[in-house]
Amino acid sequence: MAFFSSVPVVDVHRENFKSLWPGLMLAIRSCSYIALDAELSGLGNRKNLLTRSMEERYHSLAEVAKTRSILSLGISCFKVRPQPMESKDLGLRFLAQTFNITTLCSEDYVVEPGSLKFLVDHGFDFNKQYASGVPYCRGVDKEGETEAEDSQTLRALFSELVKSSKPVVFHNGLVDLVFLYQNLYSQLPTALPQFISDLCEIFPAGIFDTKFLAEFEARMPASYLEYAFRKSQRANAHLATRGQQHVAMEFCQFENSSSVGFHRCGLPPSFTIRGGARGEERKTVELCETYAAHGHCKNGIRCPKSHDPDAIQDADDQREERQKRKRKRKRQKRQYDLKDGSPNAKKDKDEDDSCHGDREMDDDDEADTGKDQDEADTGKDQDEIDEKKESNSHGEDSEPKSAYGRGQGADILKIDQGGNEDSSTSLGQRDAASPQKLPKQTGGHRAGYDAFMTGFVLATVASNVAGRSGPSQPTDRETGQEFVQAFGLTEFRNRLFLSAKTVPLIIAKSKYAKTSQHHRQKMKQLGINPT
């Protein structure tokens, strides 16, 4: 389905964690890659996360990870589906299975009022977290966690993810990686080179960062997660409409499960019919320019202006069309001047080449800290922290009610392969009747849905890169590292976006840095022999 209107998200908590364990294992072990996202209790002093020295930045982030906690963990597993031989459809098919795991650190941890306020404003249920969050302990494994009778724990789940050796994808992922390492893997190394060396062995198939892809590959006007997802979703729909290679999503059907919620994300009717909103519709929407550029606004859900992602995209499309016309006029003028031998021809060409067509943004627009909107609004004045937080890298979506099937997770069953939205729900029909200008939702962020958005962005990049050399017809054997090679993603592998930096952080082993002792012990415990 190139046009999907909702995404099923499985809600995992302490009461159903073990019953859903088989479904989680099946999804992780059979997928092509895994998208991850985490909600955190805080990030400390944001200025420490923007220091010029990467070693100092890592030390500050490591200290924060040792005292804060993960509040929820999003896992979205994407599996490439083979295309039937007789099919002429150019849709690159992916099966996505998404989980939102509510977590609860069993040790004391710091909570930052601003971060918690943001999460409450967007529907995070702290009563539910404290009542039914899946418990875990930070740092090295505690006694008993490695025993067979306690093999189904949150840390054991992360260990299974490591043992799967699948590519992992994040959005602005450095903070996520540091927190996941400290909270669910082992004690963080003391130095950044050791941390990088450990990551190379923990995720041998590669780490991908969709913020890096949005900034440096897709060259999007903005790169916060909600924007990157919506931009990719709309571009993918255009490709499908024109009969070109695109991503076609499939989802499991869940029958009568009280633990599965559907996050609505359908494109508005005006887009599917006309490719964008009509001019008169655009004029009725007053956009919040701060949110449009950065993915966050200090007024949050109380902002009187629109945060509608489609209105933002329509405004960008309109701006891009104006700039295209402007460049076309300049080219025509330059050609005319060249014929007449005008000395202004070269000057016009230089000006034309310098026109990028991106949204006009502030000079501090590269100063994103490692997290997105939810940890960005921590009660500090936006001008004081002087940083752009993305809207979704660490936020929560609408309250998902999820479960990976009933009983022992056996009914992950049916695959919706039709052209309709979801045969198990009428949300697709309701989406078509919804107004184009969407209100700001109080349940608009969840780690599970953020993980899905992240994984979808990578799927569209894989489809686009593979499509440059002709339509791709993968098989279900293309998993793990084979997926990276089959879709030409090697050049984007192991490059993490860095806030306030013009180059990414390269995840590569150095001959001058050994892996950490805690990591070596953990790998031995998991029975993994790194190559």
Side-chain angles (χ1 to χ4, degrees), residues 419-446:
N420 298 323
E421 302 307 40
D422 261 323
S423 58
S424 60
T425 178
S426 61
L427 283 174
Q429 286 73 23
R430 292 201 296 272
D431 282 345
S434 61
Q436 180 173 357
K437 183 176 179 180
L438 303 177
K440 286 184 281 294
Q441 303 280 336
T442 56
H445 303 283
R446 286 291 180 273

Side-chain angles (χ1 to χ4, degrees), residues 3 41 99 137 153 155 207 239-240 268 329 362 373 403 418 453:
F3 295 91
S41 68
F99 306 86
C137 294
T153 66
R155 290 174 65 90
I207 302 169
L239 291 172
R329 288 194 298 268
D362 299 332
Q373 174 186 344
M453 290 194 292

Side-chain angles (χ1 to χ4, degrees), residues 60 83 86-87 92 101 160 162 180 308 317 331 373 408-409 421 425 438 462 486 503:
S60 298
Q83 190 73 275
E86 66 279 5
S87 175
L92 180 60
I101 307 175
E160 291 294 332
V162 172
L180 288 172
D308 180 1
D317 291 345
R331 286 194 298 269
Q373 174 186 344
Q408 291 297 315
E421 302 307 40
T425 178
L438 303 177
V503 294

Side-chain angles (χ1 to χ4, degrees), residues 184-224:
L184 301 180
Y185 184 71
S186 189
Q187 189 74 18
L188 279 165
T190 57
L192 177 62
Q194 280 187 313
F195 176 67
I196 292 175
S197 296
D198 289 357
L199 289 180
C200 291
E201 295 185 353
I202 296 172
F203 302 115
I207 302 169
F208 294 86
D209 191 328
T210 53
K211 183 167 177 63
F212 168 78
L213 294 174
E215 290 267 355
F216 296 98
E217 164 63 13
R219 302 289 182 179
M220 295 183 183
S223 59
Y224 54 91

